[in-house]
Amino acid sequence: MTDSASAPSAHDPSELLQKATVLGAGTMGNGIAQVLAQAGLDVVLYDIAEEPLLHGLANVDRMLAKAMEKGRMSEDSAKATRKRISMSTDIAEACSGAHVVVEAVPEKLELKRSLLLQVEEHVSQETLLASNTSSLSIDAIASALHNPSRFLGMHFFNPVPVMKLLEVVTGSKTADADRSLAVALAHRLGKEPIVVTDSPGFASSRLGVCIGLEAMRMFEEGVASAEDIDKAMVLGYRHPMGPLRLTDLVGLDVRLGIAEYLEQELGPRFAPPQVMRDMVAAGKLGQKSGEGFYSW
Ligand code: NAD
């Protein structure tokens, strides 16, 4: 049974979480560290070397400056937030005393499994362990762990300090109490959680990719121009951006990888359209290559 992600009660179990560790200081990790620190947790950002850590912290500084500029944060809270984030390249030191650990290292199953196994050696049995994986199976990661009951997915969206959605993904062994704790933490971070059972593409990618692939098939069949297909969703369904423009922003190669994975796991309705394969082969990857469904 999937329970809903209703608002926290008067007794908020996430208040007990005071110390967090974030593994990986990249695009997602530094944003996750920022929102945890904004919510009052002391955060250690961990990475394999000093360079990505400094780069990650510089990004936090940039995001905090932007929030102040836009009047969304006072100088005092920006300073306090930044002060709560420290960095480490030592896994034992980084995890010491952590109440919650969020993993945000590259999307490689074996890397996540081995890193979380190491983390287990340095945290207590009660520590909540979460992965920010955007597509890997929570059960597949969890099967490496001694205690998979306190492990789940906390799938943030990019840019983390801005995006409201947080998918809490429960594995078959995730304990109810840990799911509730993750939902409460999401609310404490100012996010809107949804609770999703571990399944390919979770809720967000599965639906988003489905619309994107159908839009590409329509483009391929000449049903309408890219602009008009996008307009149909923007003006007809109030999507902030059309599915083809969004595909250009995500990258056609990235979307192709996800579609291939979903086809393998969920069947032919996720089969990548030929136009996407052809465009990727021709190096038309969207915004990053200067050309996709649009010219950039
Ligand atoms: P990234 O490449 O920007 O950052 C990954 C960081 O992990 C790098 O700083 C790297 O040095 C570090 N790292 C590599 N190996 C490590 C190790 N053994 N121990 C500690 N750190 C290590 O990646 P990202 O875009 O932040 O993605 C991280 C995770 O978040 C992935 O699972 C990805 O699927 C997921 N995700 C990404 C997005 C997105 O839009 N980028 C959105 C949602 C979820």
Side-chain angles (χ1 to χ4, degrees), residues 35 156-166 189-192:
V35 295
F156 291 82
F157 289 75
N158 184 20
V160 179
V162 177
M163 296 293 279
K164 276 287 197 196
L165 180 61
L166 203 165
L189 302 182
K191 302 299 177 198
E192 280 297 332

Side-chain angles (χ1 to χ4, degrees), residues 1-286:
M1 193 183 73
T2 305
D3 78 352
S4 71
S6 52
S9 63
H11 167 66
D12 177 356
S14 80
E15 292 295 336
L16 296 172
L17 306 176
Q18 288 162 10
K19 189 165 182 286
T21 305
V22 178
L23 310 173
T27 309
M28 298 304 286
N30 69 65
I32 296 168
Q34 180 183 330
V35 295
L36 286 162
Q38 277 173 200
L41 286 92
D42 289 320
V43 185
V44 183
L45 192 52
Y46 165 81
D47 209 301
I48 39 174
E50 200 170 311
E51 197 269 326
L53 285 167
L54 293 174
H55 190 263
L57 288 177
N59 200 51
V60 172
D61 288 338
R62 250 192 316 277
M63 292 301 281
L64 290 174
K66 216 187 226 181
M68 277 191 296
E69 225 175 86
K70 293 195 168 169
R72 283 191 268 113
M73 190 183 277
S74 69
E75 195 178 339
D76 282 354
S77 31
K79 273 192 183 150
T81 296
R82 185 58 187 76
K83 239 177 115 179
R84 281 193 280 269
I85 308 176
S86 57
M87 60 180 216
S88 175
T89 53
D90 179 326
I91 188 83
E93 176 193 81
C95 292
S96 164
H99 298 127
V100 53
V101 176
V102 184
E103 168 278 307
V105 300
E107 192 76 339
K108 292 183 186 141
L109 180 61
E110 277 318 314
L111 173 63
K112 290 181 190 285
R113 284 162 59 95
S114 64
L115 188 60
L116 286 162
L117 194 57
Q118 278 183 59
V119 168
E120 269 192 323
E121 289 172 24
H122 304 294
V123 296
S124 83
Q125 281 297 320
E126 285 73 45
T127 303
L128 182 68
L129 301 185
S131 172
N132 183 49
T133 179
S134 46
S135 64
L136 298 173
S137 157
I138 293 303
D139 279 348
I141 301 174
S143 66
L145 301 178
H146 296 298
N147 175 10
S149 69
R150 43 60 183 278
F151 175 69
L152 38 66
M154 286 185 81
H155 181 206
F156 291 82
F157 289 75
N158 184 20
V160 179
V162 177
M163 296 293 279
K164 276 287 197 196
L165 180 61
L166 203 165
E167 276 186 304
V168 173
V169 186
T170 57
S172 58
K173 301 240 168 73
T174 306
D176 290 353
D178 291 278
R179 180 200 57 223
S180 303
L181 184 57
V183 167
L185 177 61
H187 284 296
R188 184 173 163 196
L189 302 182
K191 302 299 177 198
E192 280 297 332
I194 59 171
V195 175
V196 184
T197 304
D198 186 24
S199 57
F202 310 142
S204 57
S205 301
R206 185 161 162 178
L207 271 179
V209 169
C210 177
I211 295 174
L213 295 179
E214 199 54 33
M216 285 178 228
R217 282 190 276 268
M218 288 163 64
F219 176 78
E220 195 170 45
E221 290 166 22
V223 171
S225 67
E227 287 82 356
D228 284 354
I229 292 169
D230 278 350
K231 234 184 233 177
M233 298 313 285
V234 173
L235 300 181
Y237 287 81
R238 295 195 185 200
H239 286 200
M241 185 187 298
L244 296 174
R245 183 173 287 276
L246 181 60
T247 301
D248 270 8
L249 290 187
V250 173
L252 272 82
D253 51 339
V254 174
R255 278 233 145 153
L256 177 59
I258 301 171
E260 283 173 339
Y261 169 71
L262 292 178
E263 179 190 19
Q264 176 197 314
E265 298 295 321
L266 297 172
R269 67 188 189 279
F270 284 96
Q274 192 57 42
V275 67
M276 177 157 62
R277 291 195 181 284
D278 291 346
M279 286 171 75
V280 170
K284 296 178 182 176
L285 307 181

